[in-house]
Amino acid sequence: MTADPNLDSGLPIRLLHDRVLVRMEGSDGERRSSAGIVIPATAAVGKRLAWATAVGVGPNVRSIVSGDRVLFDPDDRSEVELHGEGYVLLRERDVHAVAAERIEENATGLYL
């Protein structure tokens, strides 16, 4: 099976509609609590949201710009590999929160 020649050629990619392309932070492996306790990847935890960094947004995205940190449910994600790197593709409505310097302190979110 050969690789898709379009991915290897480095063609530019344009996100459509309300799509947000994010890069996951950290790994799915073990992590540390704020107290320094190592939590193995196999530990059972409740439903846990994940943080990622937006690297691209579609033309209809209103609340997120590239570089923002976004909070989303990792169970509702579509993974994609672009130019040899793994990313997650989301819809803007699947993002629960945005963390950015430009956000006003008393502002409400678009999708609350």
Side-chain angles (χ1 to χ4, degrees):
M1 180 177 208
T2 60
D4 185 351
N6 292 331
L7 292 179
D8 294 335
S9 65
L11 293 174
I13 295 169
R14 178 182 304 163
L15 295 171
L16 302 176
H17 310 295
D18 66 340
R19 300 305 194 268
V20 179
L21 188 68
V22 300
R23 179 179 302 123
M24 294 294 295
E25 298 176 359
S27 66
D28 292 335
E30 67 182 33
R31 58 191 188 281
R32 289 191 181 269
S33 71
S34 59
I37 299 171
V38 176
I39 303 168
T42 56
V45 293
K47 192 164 189 159
R48 185 179 186 95
L49 299 176
W51 285 101
T53 303
V55 295
V57 297
N60 296 336
V61 175
R62 298 183 286 180
S63 300
I64 304 167
V65 297
S66 292
D68 286 353
R69 292 185 68 219
V70 297
L71 184 67
F72 69 99
D73 184 353
D75 292 337
D76 297 333
R77 66 182 183 182
S78 298
E79 295 183 17
V80 62
E81 185 174 316
L82 300 171
H83 308 298
E85 292 191 45
Y87 297 93
V88 175
L89 187 62
L90 304 167
R91 295 184 133 207
E92 184 179 21
R93 70 179 180 210
D94 295 332
V95 174
H96 296 281
V98 178
E101 299 259 338
R102 64 183 168 68
I103 296 177
E104 298 172 18
E105 188 173 318
N106 296 326
T108 60
L110 181 61
Y111 299 107
L112 290 178

